[in-house]
Amino acid sequence: SQTIHQWPATLVQPVGSPLSLECTVEGTSNPNLYWYRQAAGRGLQLLFYSVGIGQISSEVPQNLSASRPQDRQFILSSKKLLLSDSGFYLCAWSPNRGYYGYTFGSGTRLTVV
Amino acid sequence: SQQGEEDPQALSIQEGENATMNCSYKTSINNLQWYRQNSGRGLVHLILIRSNEREKHSGRLRVTLDTSKKSSSLLITASRAADTASYFCATAQTGANNLFFGTGTRLTVIP
């Protein structure tokens, strides 16, 4: 069966420090991958999505970047964190053809101090 | 905005009662999905209804879709304390590569 792993679960980072969040999927090939951010008590904001290795689409101009170095690995990065980067980050995957539900990771709570 | 909007933003009911949440959206869709999120956790996919369907059931969940009104509703029957969570609708819009999520309804079921 397919599983998705996201880590770390929580992270406290100082302003100006770098960031790397990792997401991996098991049990499927060539998935669509997504990074969302959720502010406290709010909906989900799509940050990046990828339909294949090296193919990244950015939805919102920001201090973040994403990479997909392997088929089932999706990384969210920043060179210098801002206070406004605090939030709950969620990775998700879906099959690459057709319209299906997403499977989400358990999320990373990032607090920038 | 391409996001959907849920109504109400928050709902509090007694255990055993039914809970109804509504979702409105603005564009043509391929399907509409409902997700559940427990506090501090990832979202869990509950049910998907396609644009050519009007009603769908899954256990205690009943979803309706009215594409002419661009709206959907999620009914949870015989609610339980364990149903306490936030519920989000998400639309798969025609030609788009990703889902667009609403702002969610926070459901509290009081034992």
Side-chain angles (χ1 to χ4, degrees), chain A residues 50-62:
Chain A
S50 172
V51 299
I53 296 175
Q55 301 178 61
I56 308 294
S57 295
S58 174
E59 291 295 304
V60 180
Q62 63 222 322

Side-chain angles (χ1 to χ4, degrees), chain B residues 33-88:
Chain B
Q33 305 175 26
W34 284 90
Y35 289 78
R36 166 198 170 119
Q37 183 182 33
N38 286 73
S39 182
R41 306 296 297 274
L43 279 72
V44 175
H45 181 256
L46 295 176
I47 195 166
L48 181 155
I49 184 165
R50 301 190 189 284
S51 60
N52 61 354
E53 298 176 309
R54 293 296 168 258
E55 187 171 314
K56 202 162 185 179
H57 297 255
S58 177
R60 293 185 295 112
L61 304 181
R62 172 177 168 254
V63 171
T64 62
L65 179 64
D66 187 334
T67 52
S68 66
K69 295 182 179 179
K70 290 185 168 59
S71 66
S72 173
S73 67
L74 171 68
L75 169 67
I76 304 174
T77 60
S79 64
R80 306 166 182 168
D83 293 329
T84 294
S86 291
Y87 292 82
F88 294 87

Side-chain angles (χ1 to χ4, degrees), chain A residues 69-107:
Chain A
Q70 300 181 43
D71 180 44
R72 291 170 287 181
Q73 183 184 29
F74 205 23
I75 298 172
L76 182 69
S77 303
S78 173
K79 292 182 179 179
K80 289 186 178 181
L81 284 169
L82 306 172
L83 287 174
S84 58
D85 292 323
S86 294
F88 192 51
Y89 289 82
L90 289 157
C91 179
W93 79 271
S94 70
N96 69 342
R97 293 188 183 278
Y99 295 92
Y100 298 93
Y102 287 9
T103 301
F104 281 84
S106 53

Side-chain angles (χ1 to χ4, degrees), chain A residues 23-41:
Chain A
C23 173
T24 60
V25 180
E26 296 178 355
T28 188
S29 301
N30 196 26
N32 287 348
L33 296 171
Y34 310 87
W35 278 111
Y36 283 87
R37 178 169 61 198
Q38 184 178 32

